[in-house]
Amino acid sequence: MAREQVGNGVDLLWDGWLNGFKTLQSLQDEVQKKTLQAFSYQKDLLDSTVATLTAMEEETKKATQDWQVKVQTSVKEISGTTQLEQVSTWLNNIQEINDKAQSLSWKPTYAVLDLFVQSQNHLESTVKAAIEQQKLEREETLNKIEELTTLLKGAHKDLLVSVGV
């Protein structure tokens, strides 16, 4: 009966140590999940930013077109069709200049956003690969530690038996 109690004590000791190690590994898994969630949130934020900028650009283009139509309508009402041709040419020139100015103003913004998206994707793929590698190594380590724990339990029990406990 005493040997059985000693054996149970040894099992409790080593099983407790092994469970502590497993708890540490589960904490590492949780940190990795949170890291991947952060990438997902960042990706959503970038996607939202791109969508907002695209909508702003479209609204700007629409406002410019509306303005051009209103000016043409006003000129047509005031002076008839005689000056409409000259005003239309003038408005087309202004529209061309405006389109180029808008293009120049939006390009840097999209270039920076594109750089952020590419950097985000690269970093995410690198971190995912590292996490996967760490997971494999942790699983391998856990298997080895479980084997070692079993061996240590047996050696510990044998030692106590040989001492006469």
Side-chain angles (χ1 to χ4, degrees):
M1 185 69 169
R3 284 186 187 184
E4 187 177 316
Q5 286 180 335
V6 169
N8 287 341
V10 169
D11 286 343
L12 283 174
L13 174 76
W14 287 106
D15 289 344
W17 178 82
L18 183 60
N19 285 334
F21 185 80
K22 288 179 180 179
T23 300
L24 177 63
Q25 285 203 322
S26 70
L27 288 173
Q28 290 173 330
D29 286 339
E30 196 60 35
V31 167
Q32 289 175 341
K33 286 179 188 174
K34 296 292 182 189
T35 301
L36 294 176
Q37 282 178 345
F39 279 113
S40 177
Y41 296 146
Q42 289 172 349
K43 191 173 199 168
D44 289 346
L45 178 63
L46 284 173
D47 290 346
S48 174
T49 302
V50 168
T52 300
L53 285 174
T54 302
M56 286 172 56
E57 183 181 16
E58 291 301 316
E59 285 296 317
T60 303
K61 285 179 182 178
K62 186 179 180 298
T64 303
Q65 289 171 348
D66 290 347
W67 175 79
Q68 187 174 5
V69 168
K70 285 179 184 178
V71 169
Q72 285 178 337
T73 303
S74 296
V75 168
K76 187 176 183 180
E77 289 173 0
I78 294 171
S79 64
T81 57
T82 56
Q83 291 182 343
L84 183 60
E85 206 174 294
Q86 292 173 338
V87 171
S88 290
T89 302
W90 176 74
L91 286 173
N92 287 336
N93 289 338
I94 288 176
Q95 182 65 39
E96 187 179 322
I97 292 168
N98 188 41
D99 288 346
K100 287 180 182 178
Q102 283 185 3
S103 176
L104 290 173
S105 68
W106 288 108
K107 274 187 181 181
T109 304
Y110 282 116
V112 169
L113 262 174
D114 189 45
L115 180 63
F116 279 142
V117 169
Q118 288 177 11
S119 297
Q120 170 78 12
N121 290 340
H122 180 69
L123 181 61
E124 182 178 5
S125 65
T126 301
V127 169
K128 280 182 177 179
I131 285 173
E132 192 58 37
Q133 183 62 37
Q134 287 176 348
K135 184 178 178 182
L136 292 173
E137 289 174 5
R138 276 198 320 273
E139 288 173 0
E140 184 180 325
T141 300
L142 179 61
N143 289 337
K144 296 293 182 188
I145 286 179
E146 286 174 337
E147 291 172 12
L148 179 64
T149 302
T150 302
L151 291 173
L152 287 172
K153 275 187 197 179
H156 196 166
K157 288 177 186 177
D158 292 344
L159 177 68
L160 291 175
V161 168
S162 68
V163 179
V165 176

